[in-house]
Amino acid sequence: MASGETKVIGQGISRIDGLLKVTGAANYSVDFPIKNAVYAFLVKSTVAAGTISDIDTTGAEKSPGVIAVITYKNAPKLAGQGNLKGGAILQEPKVEFYGQHIGIVVAETYEQARYATRLVKVSYSKSDAVVDFDKNMAKAATPTRSRDASRGDFDTAFNSAPHKIDFTYETPIEHHNPMEPHAAIAEWDGDKVTLYNASQGVGGTQGAVANAFGLKPENVRIISPHVGGGFGSKGSTWPNVILTAMAAKVVGRPVKLALTRQNMFNSVGLRQRDVQRMRIATDAGGKITAIAHETTTHTATTGEFVEGCGGLANMMYDAPNAKITYKVLPMNVILPTFMRAPGESTGSFALESAIDEMAHELKMDPIEFRLKNISMTDPSNGKPFSSRATEAALKKGAEMFGWNKRKQEPRANRNGDYLIGYGVAAGSYPARQAGTSAQVKLTRTGNDVTASVELAAADLGTGTYTIVAQTAAETLGLPINKVGVKIGDTTLPRAAGSGGSVGAASYCNAASEACAQAMTELQAKSGRQYFATPSIVELMQAANVTEYQARADAKQGPEAQKYSCHAFNANFAEVWVNASTGMVRVARNVAVTGAGKIMNAKTARSQIIGGTVWGVGMALTEESVLDPRWGNFVTRTFADYHIPANLDIGEIDVAFIPEEDHIVNKLGIKGIGEVGIVGVAAAVANAVFNATGKRVRDLPITPDKLL
Ligand code: MOS
């Protein structure tokens, strides 16, 4: 089944877990009905740096229903902090950011726990905190894990070029805010612990919990069958998980801890603020000769995280001279982490705005300028791209969008009070397959065969259940309703996490290989030869078995290493800018993606729509604002952290470029989780420039910046 026509794969089948979800039967982490469970609520610091000089828990302890108040004074000592992000698990009185977890109250009810946290009296000996990035930016230094890159001689090429631009682009801190906040239930049985936990990868969480409590990994079970979004924030294990397990150990009962929406802003990561200087130079004909992408950002004092903003500038355009650098400033904030297309989404805003500026400088159509500067070889490593849909996506998108109606000159398209503009951006995201095992259990009654495909995968609402079932149905020759899927449990074969867009490729290839393995073994067992591929029903009958089980350990083949494997896309936006108020409305988005095999037309389209909506939010409204006096976020609800609602979004047209790329992996899947957001903000910003003649280089593009 490695290539050619597929019957079930690719179909726009509705989510097989959809009914469970809409009827409320799908259990998310804290939904699991656990007997005798009690509730926990976090106490968070109200200073950004210092030491707790006194913490008085007596009032809280006497409050009705309270079972325990745990602080650094009485918390069990942990064995380690491996695989754990964000620091602060009550081991010491040190405070490193506003909102750090400094205590946990456990009570019979959620309300009792929450109320009692207010009775915990904390005094601090404050120290100087670094919370103002812009003021301290000059102190940023090369990260300990450098990813600077260069080729040729950028400075010479740039200085001698006839056409050049040099601009700096800024993006604010953003927060993930998945629909389901981070939450867990912990239940101990002797020295074994089970956690029902919202997780993008149960294997990683298992490792972190085992490390924290000095347990063997097999004594830690993570259960996470349904996850209400993650976007990277659930890709690592944050202290809330360890604190849930710690509390359960202390009180000797199962403990539930669900973060509130407000907690989410300083408990589980964020997208860091990036300041990106872009320099691009071309020859007289518009061929790029030099490109530099220099990022200055911040991390936390508790750890280092630097998103790879310059990754795209290194590989998208065929510049012989390039320079990619990073500088990072440790600050007293929660540790930044992966957020949907970490680096590529923010990096593409800078790169694709700069490309648009360069095209404008050259008086060249921005699509033509891009096409002139792409090649089928990755300039960052000299490897050929396994496939690259940039040209096809730009051309198809231009046709769908009606790009030919665009006026090259800004402010040339007006309708009453509105200035109308068209913008475009290209994008990319790496395509990878991570090692994943899967097993298939087959059961036959007469000529009725059912299959259960099992692997410790995650479904963040993306459609993992459905595409794994489609893969198995296709491979086994079964109708999809005969295939069940079990995921999200560390007792199942180990699988990659759902992050970095590796989920679909890793899970489906493993499922396919496990099913193919069952077919091969059964055929050998049957002792027969077949001219056409037999179905699993025929094989089980021929082999005279009613139960059968097979397993595969799948990983990316060696061929992929010889190539540069990426998904590519193009985004188009039409904006209407109110000339009097500066309000921007995105009337239309067109998103065209080449991401190899599209496993499910419906869920894939939804993924791209999600990326587009987020990109519009990134362009126009999303911004987390830190109060420089305290280091807390003043934007900590959806009333002030603005994400697009239905009325903020216009038409979204989604198309895929058909690709058969079996270099990237056997099934030819590149992944679409991240690429959908890449380039969207730049397309909007470029459209705003086309509409108004005003270039906004710091997101979000709020009305004040246009007046
Ligand atoms: Mo993604 S930001 O790797 O969940």
Side-chain angles (χ1 to χ4, degrees):
M1 205 203 63
S3 64
E5 290 284 291
T6 52
K7 291 188 292 254
V8 193
I9 287 177
Q11 295 290 313
I13 293 167
S14 293
R15 286 175 172 75
I16 61 170
D17 50 330
L19 190 65
L20 285 181
K21 285 184 172 170
V22 297
T23 56
N27 279 336
Y28 292 78
S29 52
V30 283
D31 295 341
F32 281 89
I34 303 297
K35 277 206 192 77
N36 205 25
V38 291
Y39 295 82
F41 204 87
L42 295 167
V43 184
K44 288 159 83 69
S45 78
T46 54
V47 302
T51 307
I52 298 169
S53 47
D54 189 35
I55 188 159
D56 177 4
T57 57
T58 47
E61 279 157 13
K62 281 189 222 140
S63 186
V66 171
I67 302 161
V69 182
I70 309 164
T71 70
Y72 77 92
K73 286 184 174 174
N74 59 350
K77 288 295 157 238
L78 293 174
Q81 294 194 30
N83 286 10
L84 185 67
K85 275 204 172 167
I89 28 184
L90 313 185
Q91 301 297 290
E92 49 176 357
K94 193 172 167 195
V95 172
E96 293 188 75
F97 59 94
Y98 192 107
Q100 177 183 314
H101 308 143
I102 56 169
I104 182 164
V105 175
V106 188
E108 294 292 341
T109 71
Y110 175 80
E111 292 75 11
Q112 288 169 334
R114 184 172 194 164
Y115 174 72
T117 57
R118 295 201 223 154
L119 306 175
V120 176
K121 294 199 183 80
V122 191
S123 39
Y124 304 89
S125 145
K126 279 171 73 168
S127 45
D128 287 341
V130 180
V131 291
D132 193 329
F133 175 71
D134 297 59
K135 231 187 213 169
N136 292 284
M137 226 178 90
K139 292 179 213 148
T142 302
T144 47
R145 286 183 304 277
S146 167
R147 17 179 161 174
D148 290 2
S150 70
R151 59 179 182 267
D153 177 355
F154 172 81
D155 291 318
T156 305
F158 186 79
N159 291 336
S160 62
H163 299 286
K164 62 186 92 171
I165 57 126
D166 178 353
F167 294 116
T168 297
Y169 303 86
E170 301 177 40
T171 52
I173 290 175
E174 289 178 17
H175 280 87
H176 309 72
N177 279 306
M179 188 99 84
E180 176 205 25
H182 291 53
I185 308 172
E187 183 170 29
W188 288 84
D189 176 11
D191 62 357
K192 292 188 177 145
V193 65
T194 299
L195 277 142
Y196 302 83
N197 178 53
S199 174
Q200 288 180 230
V202 289
T205 308
Q206 179 186 47
V209 174
N211 187 280
F213 294 96
L215 302 172
K216 289 189 184 126
E218 59 267 31
N219 286 346
V220 178
R221 183 176 179 192
I222 310 296
I223 298 174
S224 187
H226 301 285
V227 182
F231 314 116
S233 69
K234 291 172 185 163
S236 319
T237 306
W238 296 89
N240 68 296
V241 179
I242 306 301
L243 293 174
T244 311
M246 180 193 277
K249 203 176 169 88
V250 168
V251 303
R253 285 170 71 179
V255 168
K256 290 191 178 193
L257 171 61
L259 299 194
T260 62
R261 185 58 66 191
Q262 290 204 359
N263 284 165
M264 295 287 288
F265 285 82
N266 48 21
S267 281
V268 287
L270 45 74
R271 193 201 293 283
Q272 58 215 113
R273 167 155 166 66
D274 298 306
V275 174
Q276 304 172 64
R277 182 183 182 195
M278 297 293 320
R279 283 177 287 170
I280 301 176
T282 72
D283 65 16
K287 182 83 188 62
I288 297 175
T289 52
I291 190 162
H293 190 149
E294 299 182 278
T295 303
T296 307
T297 187
H298 64 89
T299 183
T301 57
T302 54
E304 186 174 282
F305 180 86
V306 179
E307 61 171 13
C309 294
L312 284 181
N314 207 13
M315 51 67 69
M316 277 292 282
Y317 299 104
D318 199 20
N321 303 286
K323 180 160 82 171
I324 311 296
T325 69
Y326 296 92
K327 288 215 159 72
V328 65
L329 172 78
M331 287 196 350
N332 293 98
V333 291
I334 179 84
L335 182 64
T337 192
F338 324 101
M339 183 192 284
R340 203 172 202 166
E344 285 80 2
S345 50
T346 40
S348 68
F349 166 64
L351 173 65
E352 293 297 294
S353 293
I355 288 285
D356 199 70
E357 301 214 50
M358 192 73 241
H360 184 73
E361 172 78 26
L362 293 162
K363 299 187 174 33
M364 198 182 278
D365 178 273
I367 293 181
E368 189 194 330
F369 180 53
R370 286 180 175 83
L371 293 179
K372 207 178 180 67
N373 285 290
I374 55 172
S375 91
M376 293 307 283
T377 300
D378 182 340
S380 73
N381 56 23
K383 292 179 184 178
F385 288 114
S386 62
S387 55
R388 174 173 195 172
T390 304
E391 183 175 351
L394 283 166
K395 287 184 171 166
K396 184 172 176 66
E399 192 186 305
M400 289 166 67
F401 185 78
W403 183 254
N404 58 359
K405 294 195 198 79
R406 176 184 183 266
K407 308 239 185 333
Q408 170 79 9
E409 208 41 46
R411 286 186 89 89
N413 188 353
R414 188 167 182 140
N415 185 336
D417 276 348
Y418 292 94
L419 301 167
I420 300 168
Y422 287 7
V424 67
S428 178
Y429 194 81
R432 312 178 184 99
Q433 179 189 355
T436 290
S437 301
Q439 66 195 16
V440 57
K441 291 179 179 167
L442 298 156
T443 309
R444 181 178 70 90
T445 316
N447 60 6
D448 183 64
V449 172
T450 58
S452 175
V453 187
E454 305 178 349
L455 69 168
D459 189 328
L460 314 185
T462 51
T464 300
Y465 280 101
T466 312
I467 61 172
V468 167
Q470 285 174 278
T471 306
E474 182 89 41
T475 316
L476 297 168
L478 285 176
I480 193 156
N481 62 2
K482 296 289 176 187
V483 181
V485 177
K486 283 190 187 159
I487 63 168
D489 189 330
T490 46
T491 58
L492 302 173
R494 194 170 175 98
S498 177
S501 295
V502 305
S506 309
Y507 305 155
C508 294
N509 278 290
S512 169
E513 286 186 30
C515 293
Q517 181 67 21
M519 305 273 282
T520 305
E521 290 174 16
L522 283 165
Q523 185 165 336
K525 215 175 165 68
S526 76
R528 293 202 197 164
Q529 296 292 328
Y530 292 86
F531 294 105
T533 309
S535 76
I536 195 69
V537 183
E538 291 171 87
L539 283 173
M540 287 184 83
Q541 284 172 331
N544 197 27
V545 295
T546 54
E547 302 274 330
Y548 201 76
Q549 191 171 327
R551 182 188 159 112
D553 306 307
K555 60 177 196 300
Q556 194 160 40
E559 191 64 7
Q561 301 305 318
K562 299 182 206 149
Y563 292 82
S564 186
C565 301
H566 288 256
F568 290 94
N569 70 342
N571 271 291
F572 294 76
E574 175 183 325
V575 300
W576 287 51
V577 183
N578 187 308
S580 331
T581 66
M583 278 291 289
V584 180
R585 298 196 49 93
V586 183
R588 295 190 296 135
N589 290 92
V590 168
V592 185
T593 312
K597 176 69 88 183
I598 298 305
M599 298 301 288
N600 182 311
K602 192 174 188 175
T603 55
R605 178 173 175 274
S606 294
Q607 281 274 66
I608 301 297
I609 289 173
T612 306
V613 171
W614 199 344
V616 170
M618 178 179 167
L620 300 181
T621 57
E622 289 192 49
E623 179 174 21
S624 297
V625 180
L626 265 173
D627 185 329
R629 294 167 301 173
W630 308 100
N632 61 329
F633 286 101
V634 292
T635 45
R636 51 179 187 267
T637 71
F638 289 150
D640 32 38
Y641 184 86
H642 293 153
I643 56 172
N646 280 317
L647 276 177
D648 301 315
I649 298 295
E651 278 173 50
I652 300 177
D653 265 343
V654 174
F656 293 99
I657 301 296
E659 281 185 326
E660 287 283 340
D661 181 343
H662 299 292
I663 293 165
V664 56
N665 51 64
K666 282 189 197 160
L667 292 180
I669 302 168
K670 288 184 174 177
I672 50 171
E674 333 266 338
V675 74
I677 193 176
V678 182
V680 178
V684 173
N686 295 342
V688 168
F689 173 74
N690 182 243
T692 64
K694 183 138 193 180
R695 178 65 64 176
V696 180
R697 300 190 184 92
D698 58 325
L699 296 184
I701 305 171
T702 44
D704 53 299
K705 294 176 186 169
L706 288 172
L707 291 177

